Amino acid sequence: MKTNICGSKFNTPGQNLAAAVEGCDQAIGIPSYSYDKALEILSTALTTEEFDLVCRGFAFNYPRHTQKEIAQELGVPEFYVSKTIRNAIKKLQGSPYRVQLRALIPTVEELFREIETLRNETVNKKALKESQYRLEEAKAKLAASNEALKKAEMAQASVSFENEKLTKKLALSNATLAMTEKRVTELVFEAKRQKARADAAKASYDQLVAAIRSSIAENNRSFAAKVKQAEAENDSFEALGFSEKEIYALRRINCTSLKQLLGMTPRMLKKMAVGAENLAGIQSKLEEHGFSLRKE
């Protein structure tokens, strides 16, 4: 199942950021009253772009967004957003930023002390409620962690049993290793022989490609020469196969050269009353010789 690298929507930004940096779930995380310090650390460690994407992804000073929603909002590919956030997290996992961020995560004892302080200073009931909630959540996650530890110990016992079975299989595999190595030697020799044949075939192919390219270049030069020759004969509509009627229609509008004709559009010729039939014939003759009237 694909997971959001910025954590769960059910956690706080501080829990998700701490979990990303520490690489495991954080029951307490960075509390909201330390967000300003956390953002100072992020702004020092990250580039402007990394800082902005991390704030968007972890919902610091922004509504929470997925990588897809961030990509759509900024007009960039989704993989680019994910890659940039991952690189930013790697930076935060390095020294000294990981230690600085970890220092912002209070211990259970610190939370108890904070609760006691908040009880004595009733001016911040909201913070007290949040701390109590975090403490209860920490207890619940601690219980879940203990249960997971028990399961891990059972899994370890199962792994040990499987290791014994694999050791026996390994012993059996070693019995056939010598034969396998011999076969590998034979295959390597055959591969070298096939490579030599492939190299010879490639050399022949390269020579053929070079010859084809040379022929294409020569044809291009010949074509260019013909084009230049046609351009040199641009005063001869007869050479292009124009009918007397078509030539007369062109000369009637003072068009006496191919260069002059190619600078005109079909609409211009229609307005000059060359005639639809003559225009169609002129365009057909030009196409036969690789020319065309100027586009509208």
Side-chain angles (χ1 to χ4, degrees):
M1 179 179 178
K2 187 176 180 182
T3 59
N4 191 328
I5 61 175
C6 296
S8 170
K9 64 180 180 180
F10 302 106
N11 292 341
T12 67
Q15 285 177 304
N16 285 330
L17 178 60
V21 173
E22 293 296 324
C24 61
D25 287 342
Q26 295 292 309
I28 300 174
I30 300 171
S32 59
Y33 55 77
S34 295
Y35 284 179
D36 288 342
K37 293 180 180 178
L39 291 176
E40 288 179 7
I41 297 171
L42 265 59
S43 65
T44 300
L46 308 177
T47 66
T48 302
E49 181 182 38
E50 290 170 343
F51 179 80
D52 180 66
L53 292 180
V54 166
C55 286
R56 290 174 183 270
F58 286 92
F60 288 107
N61 300 328
Y62 283 98
R64 180 174 174 81
H65 289 76
T66 63
Q67 288 89 264
K68 182 176 181 180
E69 291 170 339
I70 295 171
Q72 291 174 344
E73 184 174 331
L74 299 181
V76 296
E78 183 179 350
F79 78 87
Y80 178 81
V81 174
S82 298
K83 180 180 178 183
T84 302
I85 294 178
R86 289 186 190 278
N87 289 339
I89 292 172
K90 287 183 180 179
K91 288 184 180 179
L92 297 175
Q93 289 172 337
S95 179
Y97 310 115
R98 185 173 189 169
V99 175
Q100 294 173 356
L101 290 171
R102 185 182 292 164
L104 299 179
I105 303 173
T107 64
V108 174
E109 290 75 16
E110 289 173 339
L111 283 176
F112 271 117
R113 286 197 297 271
E114 181 188 348
I115 292 171
E116 191 62 29
T117 300
L118 291 172
R119 283 174 179 167
N120 296 331
E121 300 172 2
T122 57
V123 294
N124 199 342
K125 294 182 180 179
K126 181 178 179 181
L128 175 60
K129 185 177 180 180
E130 179 184 350
S131 297
Q132 290 174 327
Y133 170 78
R134 285 178 182 279
L135 180 58
E136 293 301 323
E137 187 179 51
K139 289 180 179 179
K141 289 201 173 183
L142 181 59
S145 297
N146 290 333
E147 182 65 24
L149 180 59
K150 291 180 181 179
K151 291 182 179 179
E153 290 174 347
M154 295 177 62
Q156 180 63 36
S158 176
V159 168
S160 297
F161 176 74
E162 290 296 327
N163 282 342
E164 292 180 5
K165 292 173 60 178
L166 290 174
T167 300
K168 293 179 181 179
K169 288 185 179 181
L170 179 61
L172 181 62
S173 298
N174 286 335
T176 59
L177 181 60
M179 295 178 59
T180 302
E181 289 177 345
K182 180 180 178 181
R183 179 55 180 162
V184 168
T185 302
E186 294 173 351
L187 291 174
V188 168
F189 175 77
E190 179 64 18
K192 290 181 178 179
R193 190 172 72 85
Q194 292 295 337
K195 183 178 182 302
R197 293 179 61 185
D199 290 343
K202 183 178 183 303
S204 299
Y205 172 78
D206 291 342
Q207 291 178 356
L208 177 61
V209 170
I212 292 173
R213 288 177 175 171
S214 176
S215 175
I216 291 173
E218 181 60 31
N219 290 337
N220 287 341
R221 287 193 292 271
S222 175
F223 177 75
K226 290 180 180 180
V227 170
K228 287 183 178 180
Q229 181 179 357
E231 290 177 346
E233 297 173 353
N234 59 9
D235 289 330
S236 176
F237 290 138
E238 290 86 351
L240 296 174
F242 284 17
S243 67
E244 291 183 2
K245 184 178 179 182
E246 292 163 353
I247 294 172
Y248 175 76
L250 291 173
R251 289 177 177 170
R252 185 164 51 81
I253 62 172
N254 294 322
C255 179
T256 59
S257 69
L258 178 59
K259 181 177 181 180
Q260 211 177 346
L261 177 59
L262 296 180
M264 298 180 176
T265 66
R267 183 180 295 179
M268 292 169 61
L269 292 175
K270 287 180 180 178
K271 287 184 177 180
M272 293 179 179
V274 169
E277 182 178 348
N278 291 331
L279 177 57
I282 290 169
Q283 288 180 302
S284 176
K285 299 295 192 309
L286 288 175
E287 289 177 359
E288 289 177 7
H289 292 82
F291 299 107
S292 65
L293 294 175
R294 183 166 60 89
K295 293 183 178 180
E296 300 293 342

